[in-house]
Amino acid sequence: MSDILAIDEASPQSRINLSLPHRADASLTFTRLSLCQRCQGWGQINIHNMTYGGIIKQRSDRSTTTSEYVSVEQLTQNGNCALCAAILDAYYLRSQVLPHLQSWPTTQIVVCIKGPFYLDRGFDQQGRLLLRSPDISDPDFIVVRMFLELEVKCLVWKISEQGVSEQCFTEQVGQVAVATDELRKAPTQFKITPQFKLKYSNEKMPSLCGIEAWENPFFDIEVLRGWLQHCEEVHGIQCVDKENESKVLPTGFRVIDTQQMNIVQLSDPVRYVALSYMWSGGLDENIQLEKSNVDALEVSGSIRNLRIPDTITDAISLCQGLGERYLWVDRLCIIQDDQVTKPGQINAMDKIYSLAIFTIVAALNARNGVGFPGLAGRARHPRSSVWSQPHTPEVEAQGIKVDDIINNVVDKSLWNKRGWTFQERLLSKRRLFITEYQVMYECCQGQATELLTWAPFIVCELPTSPNSSEEYGATTEVDEKESESEKAIDFPGFYVKNRYSISNSYTFKETVSLRDYCVWVKDYSARQLSFGADILNAFTGVGNALSAVFDSHMLYGLPEKYFAQCLLWSNPGATSSRCETHNLPSWSWASSLIPIDYAWHCDYSDKYFLMVVSIVHFYYQDPDHGLRKLNIKERWVRNEITIEELSKREELPPLQGKHIPGDWRTDRDWRECPQNPWQAFERQTLDADACKISAMFPGSLVFNTTVASLRIDHLRYAEGTPTKYDIYNASLLNKQGEGVGILSMMEFSWVEARRSTDGNSKLFDFIVLSGGLEEYYARKNLAFFSQWRDIWLLDVMLVERLPCKPFVARRVAVGTVKLRKWKDCEPRWETIVLC
């Protein structure tokens, strides 16, 4: 079968003219580039997945991706090869920041070269492969813009008997050469995706005439304007609520007038843009809105005389270019030394960012306030593609995985590691990300990236025929019936947002769930704050938004309605609390200096995630209203039912699903447990002295529960006991030394210091918070071995007692105990004041 297929350009079914233009200078002679034996294939244009000159490859030849393993020494020896020289140049540029590579033998530094790949999605919205055309705007050359994936690995330095380093990077598996086991296991030093522009001669048999770096030093404001307009016109109210302008902003709300270049306090709602950025630490750090300069900065043109960070200057310029008059910047729009109005502004961050028409995000990796890379006058790095986060290739289609772009770039930026920027990103409905190497856009319905607008490829559609439809993915009548969502992203650079991608966790909708809350808290708790005391202030906007959606008060960052579940956070390692926030109760995740997680014994994807059994009545020592019972949505796993209602039932509500104990087993096991819904209802009366003492600890919890004194030891795994510096679950044992449960993710040294030894038994108090089921895979295994009684758990908390007062305790860690084992732990009912 021929490897090309002719297309009738005169056919009325043809969508585009695939023929090449006539050369401007027929007498022009082309100089072919010198290529080594390994790179000879790149000398012919058919190595690219392109349609040109009225021909297209057969389906079997569509994927032209190659994979080569070459040492730096080999690349150096091929100095006359243009492609090897281009690859070597990219390697040396990036390797200069890794000193150990300078001394490593070049024979043992291996570069895995994959490509070619192209800056497009690879597939259309129906999942069909895209057909590409090269740039033929120059009549003398056929230009292909592409990128390679270069993965650099270092092999162990081996010397043979002859004193020459051994080299063997591939082995034959059938008819395919694959990397050796040694190479696969070798650590990756870095991975880059340098971009190149390849020029082929416009002649009957095109040949490679030029290779040069391909970068885009500036972004096109008109492209950004197009994204924003397209979103407003097509997505409409889903992304831009026109009624926002009628919603109330905080008292004293100010914006920058980018036309008059001054600060204005408006009496009526306006369309405005918000800025999210990192405060710099330079000489201009003291330039901010204060009581002393409010009047001066309200004068027209006053901002031009200020020495403000380049980031703010560029944000003003970008707004002007996009036709947006008003810009909100916290530094110049909040009176920083006004302790009367400033708290109100901070508490209204949810409104400020959600009501902005869009947010400009300076998602950069430096805090020096150097401005927006790529804006006119601020060229990006000349080899941006070598230093940027590498693209993720779509190998089959030879494009890029667009769903990973924001994850790879924005999520890994320094901006995204700062505490205050979390709510700014989450609460903004539309975000324009300015990064070092490209601009990206995200709204509620889609995403866009500059990358997809750089390569001037023509996406070809073949004429429809009975044979071509199936083989080439030609458009059919059914295919043309696109959905509204598909039409909504039919714009340069736009693509459909993956509904299940990680980046979707930064979308705040009215359908926000408890699972979303847990994921957000995990993210936020891992971020950096200049002042630890801001841990709740920087979460206030999110808290306000969650409070409205959940219809619940927020107590130190936890939603009251789901309080029992939200107490079950875990912080791996030794407990460490914030010393600068002494007023934070230990039960709040905000008190932890270590990033926290809720998925410690049940994965976020498990349908029973945080589906608890309510067996505790919680009371809260409200700083404003005194002791009150919390308004908690009580549950029996998936059923919303109060403890009182459960206590009046002879049988517990049945549960449906795989690997769930039978109803009679469940009733028996829960009735045998000392703490169950019946006992919890009977033991509601709090100790009077405990209630009085709790008044000394505003924000404390007061509740009746069972307490047991247990031992802590290393958990024995199949591969042995954890070693020093490891963080693993610890084992909980009763006084008889029988294993009853686990303590979540503790450091080896912490457990070692508290484990009992011969003649020295150490006991620690554990209190019950709720009940629940084992996670899915544990349930599956237990059910397989008919160990049904071990599927039910009690969620417990390790506490330390305050010696000065009875009843009072502080949280240390959380874990689980087997429901059927709790009675063997000699539990006792107590009133606990958890502060």
Side-chain angles (χ1 to χ4, degrees):
M1 182 182 289
S2 172
D3 66 345
I4 59 175
L5 174 69
I7 296 179
D8 182 7
E9 295 172 18
S11 169
Q13 292 177 309
S14 296
R15 303 299 182 91
I16 62 173
N17 188 349
L18 298 174
S19 61
L20 292 171
H22 295 291
R23 283 168 50 186
D25 185 358
S27 63
L28 178 66
T29 58
F30 300 100
T31 302
R32 298 185 180 183
L33 292 182
S34 174
L35 296 171
C36 65
Q37 184 64 33
R38 182 183 56 80
C39 297
Q40 283 297 314
W42 290 88
Q44 304 299 319
I45 197 170
N46 59 10
I47 195 173
H48 299 286
N49 187 4
M50 294 284 165
T51 297
Y52 63 94
I55 59 176
I56 183 171
K57 298 172 184 293
Q58 290 282 21
R59 180 180 181 85
S60 60
D61 290 333
R62 279 201 181 163
S63 181
T64 58
T65 303
T66 63
S67 182
E68 301 280 354
Y69 301 91
V70 188
S71 71
V72 171
E73 178 69 17
Q74 290 172 325
L75 289 172
T76 304
Q77 291 173 353
N78 297 332
N80 293 328
C81 174
L83 184 59
C84 286
I87 293 172
L88 200 58
D89 178 66
Y91 163 78
Y92 280 128
L93 185 62
R94 184 61 182 268
S95 66
Q96 64 185 352
V97 297
L98 299 173
H100 68 280
L101 290 182
Q102 314 308 316
S103 58
W104 205 263
T106 55
T107 55
Q108 301 303 108
I109 302 176
V110 182
V111 182
C112 176
I113 307 168
K114 293 182 182 179
F117 301 109
Y118 311 98
L119 291 184
D120 59 42
R121 290 171 289 173
F123 297 98
D124 64 14
Q125 295 307 312
Q126 285 75 40
R128 302 169 303 190
L129 290 173
L130 293 177
L131 303 179
R132 307 175 179 92
S133 175
D135 179 6
I136 53 177
S137 57
D138 185 336
D140 294 322
F141 295 97
I142 305 170
V143 178
V144 176
R145 292 173 172 83
M146 61 93 187
F147 71 91
L148 297 174
E149 182 185 69
L150 308 181
E151 183 177 9
V152 177
K153 294 192 171 191
C154 283
L155 299 181
V156 176
W157 189 356
K158 293 181 179 179
I159 304 297
S160 68
E161 294 179 359
Q162 291 76 24
V164 180
S165 296
E166 298 176 353
Q167 296 184 74
C168 185
F169 307 138
T170 61
E171 58 189 9
Q172 205 70 19
V173 178
Q175 297 182 353
V176 180
V178 299
T180 62
D181 188 58
E182 180 188 11
L183 182 58
R184 287 194 299 270
K185 293 180 179 179
T188 297
Q189 304 302 310
F190 62 84
K191 183 184 291 186
I192 56 176
T193 50
Q195 298 167 185
F196 300 100
K197 180 167 70 174
L198 278 57
K199 298 174 69 175
Y200 290 86
S201 59
N202 182 4
E203 51 188 343
K204 186 175 181 180
M205 296 294 292
S207 58
L208 184 61
C209 300
I211 299 178
E212 57 186 78
W214 167 44
E215 308 291 350
N216 287 266
F218 302 102
F219 60 78
D220 186 347
I221 289 183
E222 290 306 311
V223 170
L224 312 189
R225 186 202 297 268
W227 293 344
L228 294 163
Q229 290 179 346
H230 174 75
C231 177
E232 289 188 40
E233 294 170 1
V234 179
H235 300 162
I237 195 171
Q238 298 176 86
C239 294
V240 183
D241 188 352
K242 298 297 183 181
E243 297 180 358
N244 273 355
E245 295 181 1
S246 64
K247 295 181 179 179
V248 178
L249 284 162
T251 302
F253 181 73
R254 293 172 169 82
V255 291
I256 298 172
D257 187 331
T258 64
Q259 293 181 6
Q260 300 297 322
M261 293 299 288
N262 64 334
I263 308 295
V264 294
Q265 180 175 346
L266 301 171
S267 56
D268 298 319
V270 296
R271 174 188 173 110
Y272 67 93
V273 177
L275 174 66
S276 176
Y277 68 111
M278 297 180 289
W279 281 44
S280 64
L283 296 176
D284 51 15
E285 182 67 23
N286 60 342
I287 304 300
Q288 58 188 23
L289 189 64
E290 299 174 346
K291 293 179 181 178
S292 60
N293 62 12
V294 171
D295 293 337
L297 292 180
E298 289 179 346
V299 176
S300 180
S302 57
I303 290 181
R304 292 191 182 94
N305 302 321
L306 280 183
R307 185 181 176 183
I308 57 178
D310 290 338
T311 301
I312 299 178
T313 300
D314 286 359
I316 293 173
S317 298
L318 183 56
C319 284
Q320 292 169 342
L322 293 172
E324 300 291 346
R325 179 169 183 177
Y326 297 110
L327 171 67
W328 183 86
V329 182
D330 56 358
R331 185 182 205 142
L332 295 177
C333 298
I334 297 177
I335 303 177
Q336 300 296 326
D337 59 350
D338 188 341
Q339 298 307 315
V340 175
T341 62
K342 183 177 179 179
Q345 301 279 320
I346 292 176
N347 290 334
M349 287 296 172
D350 54 318
K351 295 180 180 178
I352 292 174
Y353 280 97
S354 64
L355 298 183
I357 196 67
F358 65 89
T359 298
I360 298 172
V361 178
L364 305 174
N365 287 300
R367 302 185 63 182
N368 52 11
V370 294
F372 292 169
L375 187 66
R378 297 192 194 278
R380 295 167 174 145
H381 192 284
R383 288 307 305 273
S384 294
S385 61
V386 174
W387 293 101
S388 64
Q389 287 288 341
H391 313 317
T392 303
E394 169 51 68
V395 178
E396 180 185 357
Q398 293 181 265
I400 55 175
K401 293 182 179 179
V402 291
D403 292 329
D404 293 331
I405 291 177
I406 288 183
N407 295 347
N408 285 344
V409 181
V410 176
D411 292 5
K412 296 177 181 179
S413 67
L414 178 62
W415 169 86
N416 201 58
K417 292 179 173 63
R418 302 298 299 169
W420 283 96
T421 62
F422 175 77
Q423 64 179 2
E424 296 166 8
R425 180 177 184 182
L426 180 64
L427 299 173
S428 300
K429 291 187 175 180
R430 304 198 299 166
R431 301 169 282 274
L432 191 64
F433 296 107
I434 311 294
T435 73
E436 277 86 356
Y437 309 112
Q438 64 165 309
V439 178
M440 290 163 287
Y441 173 76
E442 184 176 32
C443 62
C444 296
Q445 300 298 308
Q447 296 172 332
T449 174
E450 226 189 318
L451 290 179
L452 299 181
T453 67
W454 286 349
F457 290 140
I458 302 171
V459 176
C460 308
E461 293 185 59
L462 290 176
T464 304
S465 69
N467 296 326
S468 64
S469 175
E470 182 180 354
E471 187 167 4
Y472 299 110
T475 305
T476 65
E477 242 180 69
V478 176
D479 293 332
E480 289 177 351
K481 295 180 180 180
E482 297 178 337
S483 67
E484 289 301 317
S485 62
E486 289 166 347
K487 293 177 181 178
I489 52 82
D490 186 19
F491 195 84
F494 253 95
Y495 56 93
V496 173
K497 182 188 292 189
N498 184 343
R499 296 180 180 180
Y500 304 102
S501 70
I502 297 175
S503 62
N504 255 1
S505 62
Y506 293 104
T507 301
F508 196 101
K509 298 181 179 180
E510 293 182 357
T511 54
V512 165
S513 67
L514 182 60
R515 181 180 284 102
D516 293 322
Y517 164 84
C518 294
V519 172
W520 292 339
V521 170
K522 176 184 177 181
D523 182 329
Y524 176 71
S525 67
R527 293 176 176 238
Q528 304 164 0
L529 287 167
S530 298
F531 304 99
D534 284 336
I535 182 66
L536 288 178
N537 288 338
F539 196 76
T540 298
V542 177
N544 291 341
L546 287 169
S547 178
V549 172
F550 288 159
D551 188 25
S552 170
H553 293 295
M554 299 294 290
L555 305 178
Y556 294 95
L558 280 67
E560 180 176 342
K561 184 178 288 186
Y562 305 106
F563 201 80
Q565 297 97 310
C566 294
L567 283 175
L568 302 179
W569 54 271
S570 175
N571 48 347
T575 301
S576 181
S577 57
R578 297 179 184 275
C579 57
E580 65 270 64
T581 51
H582 61 277
N583 60 328
L584 283 178
S586 64
W587 50 258
S588 170
W589 52 258
S591 66
S592 175
L593 272 175
I594 303 172
I596 70 100
D597 194 0
Y598 278 98
W600 53 278
H601 80 82
C602 189
D603 189 78
Y604 291 116
S605 61
D606 194 319
K607 68 178 181 180
Y608 287 103
F609 174 72
L610 291 188
M611 293 289 186
V612 301
V613 173
S614 298
I615 46 178
V616 174
H617 293 281
F618 289 99
Y619 291 79
Y620 172 62
Q621 187 58 250
D622 195 316
D624 299 321
H625 305 289
L627 190 65
R628 65 177 179 86
K629 187 175 182 180
L630 289 181
N631 182 22
I632 295 175
K633 184 181 289 187
E634 296 174 340
R635 308 184 63 89
W636 167 256
V637 194
R638 305 190 74 176
N639 302 300
E640 292 183 14
I641 183 171
T642 65
I643 297 175
E644 181 179 1
E645 290 171 330
L646 278 176
S647 69
K648 294 178 180 179
R649 297 176 62 112
E650 289 298 323
E651 296 180 351
L652 295 169
L655 297 175
Q656 302 294 326
K658 292 183 178 181
H659 319 306
I660 303 296
D663 297 341
W664 68 272
R665 293 179 189 272
T666 296
D667 285 335
R668 180 199 62 189
D669 292 345
W670 274 99
R671 285 191 179 277
E672 290 179 357
C673 180
Q675 185 154 355
N676 56 44
W678 301 279
Q679 288 292 320
F681 180 70
E682 290 180 3
R683 297 176 179 271
Q684 292 187 64
T685 305
L686 300 174
D687 186 283
D689 291 336
C691 294
K692 293 178 181 178
I693 291 174
S694 70
M696 302 171 59
F697 301 92
S700 61
L701 300 177
V702 187
F703 53 95
N704 287 337
T705 190
T706 50
V707 184
S709 298
L710 304 177
R711 292 158 53 181
I712 299 172
D713 203 346
H714 296 298
L715 190 62
R716 269 62 180 179
Y717 289 85
E719 58 271 23
T721 304
T723 57
K724 192 176 182 181
Y725 306 118
D726 285 338
I727 296 179
Y728 284 92
N729 289 337
S731 177
L732 300 181
L733 304 92
N734 58 23
K735 294 178 181 178
Q736 291 72 41
E738 179 186 9
V740 296
I742 59 101
L743 188 61
S744 172
M745 305 303 287
M746 303 304 293
E747 289 180 349
F748 176 91
S749 58
W750 187 93
V751 176
E752 184 67 18
R754 290 161 178 79
R755 62 189 294 263
S756 297
T757 57
D758 293 340
N760 183 19
S761 179
K762 300 178 182 179
L763 297 176
F764 302 88
D765 283 351
F766 287 81
I767 62 176
V768 172
L769 299 176
S770 57
L773 292 163
E774 274 278 17
E775 58 93 18
Y776 175 78
Y777 290 105
R779 294 199 306 271
K780 184 177 179 180
N781 290 333
L782 291 169
F784 181 80
F785 292 104
S786 298
Q787 296 176 343
W788 297 102
R789 299 196 70 184
D790 287 338
I791 290 179
W792 285 106
L793 303 173
L794 291 177
D795 299 312
V796 298
M797 178 183 289
L798 168 62
V799 296
E800 58 181 3
R801 302 283 189 166
L802 269 63
C804 56
K805 298 290 181 182
F807 310 106
V808 183
R810 291 183 62 83
R811 177 199 184 278
V812 178
V814 291
T816 59
V817 170
K818 298 290 185 183
L819 178 73
R820 69 181 181 90
K821 296 282 189 179
W822 190 240
K823 64 178 182 295
D824 300 327
C825 298
E826 302 177 14
R828 56 195 181 275
W829 280 91
E830 289 187 23
T831 298
I832 299 294
V833 178
L834 190 63
C835 65

